[in-house]
Amino acid sequence: MELIQQVPELSAYLAVDEAIDHEHPLVRDTVADLRSNSIDAYTYAAAAYAFVRDAIPHSADSGDMRVAWRASDVLATRNGICHSKSHALAALLRAAGIPTALCYQGLGDENGGPGPVHGLIAVRLPGRDRWDRQDPRGNKPGVDAHFSLDEERLAWPVRPEFNEVDYPVLYAAPHPAVLRGLRSAGDRPELWRTLPTAL
């Protein structure tokens, strides 16, 4: 699949916004901690990915009912769904000068109908002339995502036979419908009703 930048300028994928608040002190402190054991952008990106995937549980797995959507809040509460965790990872990468995009998949639910849109990121590392998608959702039985630049190791490869899709657009900011769903939900059960099922 060819990934398409929503904004031509690479600088847009380093920007701060209300969800990817990478100028926040907690984000900056986390970046400093992760950088202490990283020798280059590649090892830093892998470390940031592993931190968000493993140290911040997906709230559906942990049972946490809170809805964190801003990167700094995700880091503070150690809680979030796929979109929230993607915002946190984007903030950690952008703060280190690594262009990072938000991207989405349309996945099905357990009954074969459309489920909420799934969020992940794409990273553009130095010396590479392409974007590489990464999924920090968090692993569990049946989900085995890894940081990879050779082949995608996402939480869920799409199943076209179930009308699932990879959206090719690389967003510089969270999709408005996703952000609206996150911001309007009072708890996680409500969030499943407010998130879009398609973009």
Side-chain angles (χ1 to χ4, degrees):
M1 175 184 65
E2 181 183 352
L3 298 172
I4 303 161
Q5 286 182 212
Q6 176 197 28
V7 180
E9 296 79 18
L10 209 52
S11 61
Y13 298 92
L14 293 168
V16 173
D17 63 37
E18 61 179 337
I20 305 171
D21 58 339
H22 62 75
E23 292 179 341
H24 190 281
L26 181 55
V27 176
R28 294 293 181 172
D29 289 347
T30 306
V31 170
D33 289 344
L34 292 168
R35 273 189 164 158
S36 64
N37 293 319
S38 302
I39 57 172
D40 57 27
Y42 292 82
T43 56
Y44 173 80
Y49 169 85
F51 172 77
V52 173
R53 183 194 64 190
D54 300 339
I56 301 172
H58 190 289
S59 57
D61 298 342
S62 68
D64 197 321
M65 293 298 170
R66 297 172 293 172
V67 178
W69 56 271
R70 186 177 286 116
S72 58
D73 292 337
V74 174
L75 295 175
T77 62
R78 296 290 174 102
N79 155 64
I81 66 163
C82 58
H83 300 290
S84 310
K85 293 181 66 161
S86 294
H87 298 168
L89 181 54
L92 294 175
L93 294 171
R94 288 183 182 188
I98 300 170
T100 306
L102 299 166
C103 41
Y104 302 95
Q105 293 176 311
L107 302 176
D109 68 12
E110 61 275 1
N111 301 315
V117 168
H118 177 61
L120 52 157
I121 63 115
V123 63
R124 181 91 177 243
L125 285 163
R128 291 180 71 82
D129 61 354
R130 56 177 270 185
W131 291 89
D132 295 290
R133 293 192 306 169
Q134 311 294 334
D135 191 340
R137 182 236 178 256
N139 290 339
K140 64 177 187 172
V143 176
D144 189 30
H146 293 274
F147 185 85
S148 176
L149 302 175
D150 298 323
E151 62 177 333
E152 289 189 335
R153 299 285 306 275
L154 307 179
W156 291 289
V158 299
R159 302 168 299 175
E161 66 272 21
F162 293 102
N163 296 316
E164 295 182 342
V165 296
D166 281 314
Y167 293 107
V169 177
L170 298 169
Y171 291 89
H175 191 283
V178 170
L179 194 55
R180 203 167 32 251
L182 287 163
R183 293 183 69 179
S184 65
D187 58 24
R188 191 167 37 80
E190 184 180 356
L191 178 61
W192 297 146
R193 296 189 297 272
T194 62
L195 284 174
T197 58
L199 296 182

